[in-house]
């Protein structure tokens, strides 16, 4: 149906001329990295945009998660959802912390506070919540658990840049929150991330840790890494920030068009956003469920195969759940016993293309495939003509395996 592949999200590049002007400025200044003007300005503008005291820019979201976990002194066991991108767990395990997977609520897709409670042991030091699809995690319930047990609480807010929870900017919850500014996210520095916090000491520790543990001219005051964001990346970020509202407006319009086009398809539900909150509409997520009142229809995998056959590269994010990926499935072979909602949700989810390449007409055609996935893509042979110019129907793309999923994530 489409001659060019439609991706879940193609990176925006913002105003090219504005970016190149900033690059010229950087080259002229000969200040390429190490807390330069661009990084400082980006941190200031992001903190203002979110309404938080501190924004500490880092080289990637994953580095930011690692530095945040260190700065909070997490150790032993930390409770995380399995229904997230692998980096949430990797950032902990990479530094010798055991991620303990807790189940989600099957409606919100976010950590279930009751499930978190059940995973607390004497070794637990913290909880990492995730605002999945940008929809806020149950921040108050998780904070209450953290307070009750003396645990640190932080959030992986990689999906939630610019979003709000009860009218307050995401970035203000827990001890700190971590953003990813990877090229595929709503707001991008190409590669990059940040820690947002209202805790002055925590921000100071994170700043030292991203720069070899150095503080001012005193040399190292703690162990650190090189997790700095370069001036060029910050310049890209400043430029993207200037067009963020347009990006969000396009995604919001796409979301509404999907809602119209899929509103009456039995067994297909578009994940809702709370209209009272600000959202970046970065992900268009549908759930494909059996409707007991309707005749049996195609399942998620059949719809996914049909979409791919038509060049619509929908993704079953975050199938099959981090607990089912290596090394965790070898380390915790029975984790799935306590993750029934994760497993159920993983089997019925699809993330659909959005962004500036997608418009209302495209969405109507994508919806038509979802409505009727058994209609084959028209090969030219079907339009008549001699056997010589017949184009064979390509076989359906192989379904992603657990092993390739990790590498194909972006
Ligand atoms: C993208 C993402 C990350 C990783 O961020 P990078 O900037 O790519 O390192 C972490 N957690 C979640 C939930 C993500 O979606």
């Amino acid at each position: 149906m489409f001659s060019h592949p439609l991706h879940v999200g193609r990176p925006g590049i913002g105003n090219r001329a504005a970016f190149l002007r900033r690059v010229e400025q950087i080259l002229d200044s000969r200040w390429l990295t190490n807390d330069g003007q661009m990084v400082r300005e980006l941190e200031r503008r992001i903190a203002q945009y979110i309404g938080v005291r501190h924004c500490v820019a880092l080289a990637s979201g994953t580095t930011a998660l690692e530095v945040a976990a260190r700065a909070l002194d997490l150790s032993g066991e930390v409770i995380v959802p399995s229904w997230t991108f692998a980096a949430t767990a990797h950032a902990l395990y990479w530094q010798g912390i055991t991620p303990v997977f807790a189940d989600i609520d099957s409606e919100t897709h976010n950590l279930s506070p009751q499930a978190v409670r059940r995973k607390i042991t004497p070794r637990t030091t913290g909880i990492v919540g995730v605002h999945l699809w940008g929809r806020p995690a149950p921040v108050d319930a998780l904070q209450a658990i953290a307070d009750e047990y003396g645990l640190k609480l932080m959030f992986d807010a990689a999906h939630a840049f610019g979003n709000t929870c009860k009218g307050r900017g995401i970035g203000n919850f827990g001890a700190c929150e971590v953003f990813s500014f990877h090229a595929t996210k709503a707001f991008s520095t190409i590669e990059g991330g940040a820690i947002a916090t209202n805790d002055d000491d925590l921000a100071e520790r994170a700043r030292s840790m991203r720069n070899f543990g150095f503080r001012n001219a005193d040399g190292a005051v703690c162990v650190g890494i090189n997790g700095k964001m370069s001036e060029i990346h910050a310049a890209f970020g400043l430029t993207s920030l200037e067009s963020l509202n347009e990006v969000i407006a396009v995604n919001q319009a796409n979301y509404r068009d999907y809602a119209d086009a899929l509103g009456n398809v039995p067994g297909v539900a578009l994940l809702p956003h709370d209209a009272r909150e600000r959202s970046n509409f970065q992900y268009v997520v549908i759930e494909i469920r059996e409707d007991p009142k309707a005749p049996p229809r195609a399942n998620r995998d059949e719809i996914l195969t049909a979409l791919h056959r038509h060049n619509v590269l929908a993704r079953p994010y975050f199938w099959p759940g981090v607990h089912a990926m290596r090394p965790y499935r070898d380390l915790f072979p029975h984790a799935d016993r306590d993750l029934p909602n994760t497993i159920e949700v993983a089997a019925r989810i699809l993330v659909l293309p959005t962004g500036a390449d997608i418009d209302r007409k495209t969405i109507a055609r994508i919806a038509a495939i979802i409505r009727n996935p058994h209609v084959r893509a028209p090969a030219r042979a079907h339009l008549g003509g001699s056997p010589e110019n017949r184009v064979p129907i390509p076989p359906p793309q192989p379904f992603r395996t657990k092993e390739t999923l990790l590498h194909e994530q972006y």
Side-chain angles (χ1 to χ4, degrees):
M1 193 174 282
F2 298 100
S3 53
H4 299 292
L6 298 179
H7 296 278
V8 157
R10 273 186 78 202
I13 54 163
N15 182 329
R16 186 186 297 245
F19 171 61
L20 293 175
R21 270 198 304 279
R22 288 191 165 107
V23 171
E24 294 282 3
Q25 219 178 310
I26 292 165
L27 299 181
D28 289 344
S29 76
R30 298 276 176 114
W31 193 314
L32 306 181
T33 185
N34 286 13
D35 210 17
Q37 286 301 314
M38 296 288 169
V39 164
R40 286 187 173 203
E41 190 184 342
L42 182 67
E43 291 182 334
R44 198 167 54 241
R45 289 225 207 146
I46 288 174
Q48 198 176 17
Y49 182 72
I50 293 169
V52 68
R53 272 176 76 79
H54 302 281
C55 166
V56 182
L58 287 115
S60 73
T62 305
T63 313
L65 285 169
E66 289 170 357
V67 168
R70 287 258 178 190
L72 287 174
D73 209 15
L74 297 182
S75 63
E77 295 176 359
V78 170
I79 298 168
V80 295
S82 164
W83 188 233
T84 178
F85 182 56
T88 315
H90 285 350
L92 299 169
Y93 193 61
W94 187 254
Q95 42 198 330
I97 300 165
T98 304
V100 174
F101 299 109
D103 208 5
I104 52 167
D105 177 293
S106 51
E107 293 304 315
T108 66
H109 296 195
N110 281 316
L111 269 181
S112 147
Q114 293 89 324
V116 168
R117 249 173 217 286
R118 286 197 291 272
K119 290 291 171 188
I120 295 172
T121 74
R123 291 177 299 280
T124 310
T125 61
I127 303 165
V128 180
V130 180
H131 305 297
L132 208 88
W133 317 125
R135 304 194 305 174
V139 293
D140 292 338
L142 292 177
Q143 189 65 62
I145 295 172
D147 293 344
E148 185 182 335
Y149 289 89
L151 307 176
K152 306 274 175 52
L153 173 65
M154 64 180 256
F155 290 97
D156 178 339
H159 299 175
F161 187 75
N163 295 6
T164 59
C165 172
K166 284 167 282 181
R168 215 167 157 221
I170 297 275
N172 283 286
F173 297 94
C176 66
E177 303 210 55
V178 169
F179 294 104
S180 163
F181 304 148
H182 184 262
T184 50
K185 304 297 205 270
F187 163 71
S188 153
T189 59
I190 304 177
E191 289 280 3
I195 298 171
T197 181
N198 291 306
D199 180 333
D200 298 350
D201 294 335
L202 185 62
E204 178 95 15
R205 275 201 300 287
R207 282 185 194 285
S208 299
M209 284 179 172
R210 77 170 172 189
N211 187 31
F212 313 102
F214 289 171
R215 181 169 297 173
N216 304 326
D218 305 340
V221 294
C222 60
V223 68
I225 54 167
N226 180 358
K228 300 188 298 292
M229 179 185 283
S230 84
E231 288 290 277
I232 303 278
H233 290 87
F236 191 91
L238 284 167
T239 315
S240 337
L241 206 52
E242 285 158 2
S243 55
L244 181 60
N245 286 342
E246 291 153 48
V247 170
I248 293 173
V250 166
N251 283 343
Q252 184 165 14
N254 286 344
Y255 179 84
R256 285 205 200 100
D257 290 341
Y258 271 115
D260 290 345
L262 293 169
N264 58 358
V265 181
V268 176
L270 187 65
L271 238 62
H273 286 281
D274 186 339
R276 293 164 300 182
E277 305 288 0
R278 205 167 69 189
S279 172
N280 60 32
F281 294 93
Q282 187 184 323
Y283 297 98
V284 175
V285 186
I286 56 170
E287 292 192 69
I288 292 138
R289 307 195 202 199
E290 283 290 326
D291 182 346
K293 295 187 293 280
R297 63 186 314 283
N299 63 26
R300 190 275 306 271
D301 292 354
E302 289 168 321
I303 293 177
L304 181 62
T305 305
L307 287 167
H308 279 218
R309 201 192 304 129
H310 286 280
N311 237 350
V312 180
L313 303 186
R315 292 295 185 88
Y317 288 159
F318 293 94
W319 184 88
V322 185
H323 75 280
M325 297 181 188
R326 291 207 164 92
Y328 311 108
R329 70 174 188 196
D330 299 330
L331 293 166
F332 318 114
H334 305 301
D336 57 345
R337 286 182 193 163
D338 288 336
L339 301 170
N341 296 344
T342 300
I343 289 161
E344 191 190 322
V345 166
R348 65 185 190 210
I349 222 73
L350 264 188
V351 180
L352 300 176
T354 187
D357 293 350
I358 309 293
D359 59 13
R360 183 186 289 250
K361 270 196 1 237
T362 315
I363 288 168
R365 292 163 78 192
I366 293 172
I369 302 169
I370 293 169
R371 192 175 288 120
N372 199 352
H374 298 303
V375 175
R376 290 210 138 248
R380 248 175 283 163
H382 293 174
L383 307 173
S386 60
E388 295 82 70
N389 57 27
R390 216 167 257 172
V391 179
I393 297 170
Q397 296 206 1
F399 192 67
R400 243 172 252 84
T401 64
K402 289 176 192 124
E403 284 71 27
T404 58
L405 185 80
L406 209 64
H407 303 290
E408 280 192 24
Q409 195 72 39
Y410 296 140

